[in-house]
Amino acid sequence: MDIARSDIVKATAGRDKGRLFFVLETEGDFLLLADGKTRRLERPKRKKRKHVAFQARFDCRAAEKIRGGEKLTNSELRKTLAQLGGDGNPDQEG
């Protein structure tokens, strides 16, 4: 499945391996990722597509804001990822 804006992915490589992220933008082979805690909206993580695994296409308010380009907060990202059941993120809530 192709990864698009507002999808939720899990990092499969690097020091953030196992963490869940929202996809903020796609740039060719790279994705801009944020989780609201370790990677905030102000400084998203740039990661190659091959180093993440698609997890879910979640229809929630945070995903709608990302797709619509509306203002989003880091706490909204944290809460949404915690609701999803961030198994690899015991401290994701914040």
Side-chain angles (χ1 to χ4, degrees):
M1 173 168 245
D2 195 34
I3 298 172
R5 279 181 82 183
S6 79
D7 286 349
I8 297 174
V9 296
K10 183 181 267 188
T12 58
R15 67 176 60 186
D16 53 7
K17 183 177 181 177
R19 293 191 65 85
L20 295 176
F21 294 94
F22 268 102
V23 177
L24 301 179
E25 289 291 332
T26 59
E27 301 174 342
D29 283 345
F30 290 92
L31 304 171
L32 292 180
L33 309 174
D35 66 359
K37 186 173 177 101
T38 57
R39 279 300 175 165
R40 302 173 68 82
L41 290 165
E42 300 81 26
R43 296 200 58 205
K45 172 73 177 165
R46 188 171 184 249
K47 201 161 185 76
K48 284 193 172 187
R49 285 179 188 265
K50 68 181 183 179
H51 294 153
V52 299
F54 175 82
Q55 289 292 273
R57 185 158 286 146
F58 202 51
D59 285 331
C60 61
R61 184 69 185 131
E64 290 173 14
K65 285 184 174 184
I66 292 170
R67 284 190 295 268
E70 297 176 41
K71 185 158 174 52
L72 182 66
T73 64
N74 288 306
S75 67
E76 287 176 299
L77 288 182
R78 285 193 305 271
K79 289 175 184 174
T80 304
L81 290 173
Q83 285 175 0
L84 188 64
D87 299 330
N89 304 342
D91 62 344
Q92 188 85 30
E93 236 176 275

